[in-house]
């Protein structure tokens, strides 16, 4: 019987073997009665299970039964004692009934047991708990009887369950392993029937062994660990759980499991070899069959980048399918290498042959895939460069076909620079296209070596013609763009000249305007004498010559813009406005210059006449000056003063004054000052003449 069959009853702790022993080394069986009614059937089952645990040798020494009746009635105690006669009459040596103090009638109870002594077959004594040590050592009694023996019923029950489970599983496992090992030994002579016995044991040997080792370790630890009161005995002792039995089972199990592992190894090796042979043939058959056929159908390079991308995607799908088989190859190669390292001599030749066959096929197929991938990559790069070059040529052609409408010469220079950069970039890309094309042509020329006997001349010829055609077409397009760039460069250089002429003409207008402004603001002096006036007239003529040169330069530039516009077939944007401005400023300058010359000439006449009057001659102090000269000076001076107050009137009706009013006042004041001196000279001359007339009259009277 196993504890699992009566586990609920065993948990009630109706009876137990604490591991303690009496003075005769007999086991102590404890029956702790409680205040509730004890089920005798359950107690009987518990006793039957407990009495089946010790060995026959241990049973021969007899049991000492402790019936704890301190919480029970006498009738129940009596029933239990009588039941012992039926359950274990021969094994019981002594029954110690632990009585409660002063509750039972000693005479009655003693008489009862004494009366039944011969019939019972064992001695029954009534004893108090504190006097139980007269018969049993305290270290062999549990704490409830004042002893020091430690006992945990639940722990004992759990360990018992583990022991029984181990015993049951190990026994069954030993039988199964013996059958398996025996069959495998017989099948070594008949390998064809080896697979008929490839069944597995019901229990995991590793788990059962681990359980047994843990159980044995627990038994040994509980047996040899001591306590303060002496050796701590427990019901897991070898006399109860048959520790030697556990060790024997473990030894047998290890022996059979070692043989079983060898059987499994041999069986696994045979199975693995068969699986490897099967997988190797699967890999070889697929690579030499469908895999090779897939590569045979892929020889084109496409006629555009999208077509080459589609071919690459198709090739990636082919590579993906091959990768699955290559992964199987790697795994198989590792398995074969491992078996070669640990294999038997009879398997080495076969394994090496399989490995060599598999490696040859896989490496050849991988080389073909890599070669095809390189061609597709080169084709993709070639078409990519061709597409970039085509886009660059389209962009350059768009720039060349667009109307040129730059804002100024700097914009033209920038456009020219941009064109040159574009053309240079096109040249570099075309060179790159030639290099990519040559690489692709070289690869295609080597393609026949991977054709598996298939004639790929037609496919190669089409690919070569396509590559050469693309390069020639791009070269022609580049040449056309270069010719158009030359024409556009010439046109833009003419436009640069046009803008330069227009800018210089506008600058000439600005210079002429500055000369006009300078003439009005700074050319205001009339001179202090005739000599200075003459000098001012000479400077003015040079000043006018500069202005004339500027005007002529502007006219020439504007005439050049007309010629360039006719050549470029475009209308100038500024010369139509510049020419009227130039003529207007020149007309204003001419009018102002003429006025300036007229004033200087009047000033020259004034100063010359005044200087004749005011000039003193030491040799002729008495020279008389004609009064007409005085009148001339006065008339010219007044005219000059009047002229200074009059503005310059331009043809468009606008007016401008020379200098500021203070400047004009200063010049007028100088003229008046000189006129005043001449007037005083005239008055002096008149007085002298009057005095001379008076003196003549007096002489005549005398």
């Amino acid at each position: 019987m196993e504890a699992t069959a009566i586990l609920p009853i065993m948990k009630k702790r109706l009876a137990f073997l604490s591991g303690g022993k009496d003075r005769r080394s007999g086991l102590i069986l404890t029956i702790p009665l409680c205040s509730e009614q004890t089920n005798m059937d359950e107690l009987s089952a518990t006793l039957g299970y407990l009495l089946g645990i010790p060995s026959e040798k241990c049973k021969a020494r007899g049991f000492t039964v402790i019936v704890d009746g301190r919480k029970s009635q006498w009738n129940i105690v009596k029933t239990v004692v009588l039941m012992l006669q039926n359950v274990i009459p021969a094994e019981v040596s002594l029954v110690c009934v632990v009585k409660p103090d002063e509750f039972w009638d000693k005479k009655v109870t003693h008489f009862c047991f004494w009366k039944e002594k011969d019939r019972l077959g064992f001695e029954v004594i009534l004893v108090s708990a504190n006097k139980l040590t007269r018969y049993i050592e305290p270290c062999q009694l549990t704490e409830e009887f004042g002893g020091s023996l430690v006992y945990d019923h639940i722990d004992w029950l759990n360990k018992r369950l583990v022991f029984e489970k181990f015993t049951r599983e190990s026994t069954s496992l030993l039988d199964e392993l013996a059958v398996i090992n025996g069959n495998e030994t017989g099948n070594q002579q008949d390998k064809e029937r080896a697979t008929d016995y490839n069944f597995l044991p019901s229990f995991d040997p590793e788990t059962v062994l681990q359980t047994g080792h843990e159980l044995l370790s627990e038994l040994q630890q509980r047996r040899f660990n001591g306590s303060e009161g002496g050796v701590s005995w427990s019901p897991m002792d070898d006399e109860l759980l048959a520790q030697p039995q556990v060790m024997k089972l473990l030894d047998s199990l290890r022996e059979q499991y070692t043989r079983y592992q060898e059987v499994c190894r041999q069986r696994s090796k045979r199975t693995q070899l068969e699986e490897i042979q099967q997988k190797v043939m699967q890999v070889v058959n697929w690579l030499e069959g469908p895999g090779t056929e897939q590569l045979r159908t892929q020889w084109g390079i496409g006629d555009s980048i999208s077509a080459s991308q589609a071919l690459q995607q198709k090739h990636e799908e082919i590579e993906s399918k091959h990768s699955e088989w290559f992964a199987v190859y790697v795994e198989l190669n590792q398995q074969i290498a491992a078996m070669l390292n640990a294999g038997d001599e009879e398997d080495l030749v076969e394994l090496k042959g399989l490995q060599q066959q598999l490696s040859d096929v896989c490496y050849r197929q991988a080389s073909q895939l890599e070669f095809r991938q390189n061609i597709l990559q080169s084709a993709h790069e070639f078409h990519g460069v061709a597409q970039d070059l085509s886009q660059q040529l389209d962009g350059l052609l768009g720039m060349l076909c667009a109307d040129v409408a730059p804002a100024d010469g700097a914009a033209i220079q920038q456009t020219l620079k941009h064109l040159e950069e574009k053309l240079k970039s096109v040249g570099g890309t075309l060179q790159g296209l030639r290099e990519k094309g040559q690489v692709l042509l070289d690869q295609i020329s080597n393609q026949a070596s991977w054709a598996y006997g298939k004639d790929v001349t037609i496919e190669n010829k089409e690919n070569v013609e396509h590559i050469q055609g693309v390069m020639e077409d791009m070269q022609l397009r580049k040449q056309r763009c270069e010719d158009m760039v030359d024409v556009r460069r010439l046109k833009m250089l003419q436009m640069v000249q046009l803008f330069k002429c227009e800018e210089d003409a506008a600058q000439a207008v600005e210079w002429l305007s500055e000369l006009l402004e300078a003439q009005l603001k700074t050319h205001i002096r009339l001179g202090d004498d005739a000599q200075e006036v003459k000098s001012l007239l000479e400077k003015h003529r040079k000043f006018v010559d500069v202005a004339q040169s500027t005007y002529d330069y502007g006219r020439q530039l504007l005439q050049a813009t007309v010629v360039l516009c006719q050549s470029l077939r475009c209308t100038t944007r500024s010369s139509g406005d510049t020419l009227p401005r130039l003529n207007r400023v020149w007309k204003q300058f001419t009018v102002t210059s003429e006025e300036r010359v007229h004033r200087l000439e009047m000033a020259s006449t004034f100063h010359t006449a005044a200087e004749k009057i005011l000039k003193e001659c030491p040799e002729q102090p008495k020279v008389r000056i004609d009064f007409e000269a005085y009148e001339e000076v006065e008339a010219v001076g007044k005219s000059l003063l009047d002229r200074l107050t009059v503005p310059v009137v331009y043809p468009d009706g606008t007016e401008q004054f020379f200098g500021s009013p203070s400047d004009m006042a200063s010049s007028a004041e100088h003229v008046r000052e000189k006129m005043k001196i001449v007037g005083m000279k005239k008055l002096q001359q008149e007085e002298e003449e009057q005095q001379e007339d008076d003196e003549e009259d007096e002489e005549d009277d005398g």
Side-chain angles (χ1 to χ4, degrees), residues 523-542 595-611 636 640 644 667 670-671 674:
H523 293 201
I524 56 178
R525 281 183 54 78
L526 297 178
D528 294 337
D529 51 33
Q531 186 63 33
E532 186 179 357
V533 173
K534 183 179 179 181
S535 175
L536 290 174
L537 280 171
E538 183 63 27
K539 290 181 180 179
H540 182 69
R541 279 193 292 270
K542 293 179 180 179
E595 177 64 24
R596 172 65 174 168
V597 171
H598 189 66
R599 292 186 181 187
L600 287 174
E601 289 177 348
M602 289 181 67
S604 178
T605 302
F606 171 74
H607 285 297
T608 301
E611 287 174 358
V636 173
L640 180 57
L644 291 177
S667 298
H670 182 71
V671 173
K674 206 159 193 179

Side-chain angles (χ1 to χ4, degrees), residues 70 129-130 132-133 137-149:
R70 290 176 293 178
N130 56 359
L132 194 59
T133 55
E137 296 295 334
C139 63
Q140 302 299 321
L141 292 173
T142 57
E143 295 179 355
E144 54 193 317
F145 299 114
S148 60
L149 180 64

Side-chain angles (χ1 to χ4, degrees), residues 423-464:
L423 190 59
K424 183 178 179 181
S425 176
V426 166
T429 307
L430 180 60
Q431 180 61 30
L433 181 68
R434 293 195 187 100
E435 295 174 357
K436 297 292 183 183
Q438 188 58 49
V439 171
L440 186 55
L441 289 173
D442 293 340
Q443 290 177 329
I444 290 176
S445 65
N446 297 325
Q447 192 171 10
S449 62
W450 302 99
Y452 289 104
K454 178 182 177 182
D455 186 7
V456 295
T457 305
I458 298 177
E459 288 85 350
N460 283 345
K461 182 179 179 181
E462 292 178 355
N463 293 334
V464 170

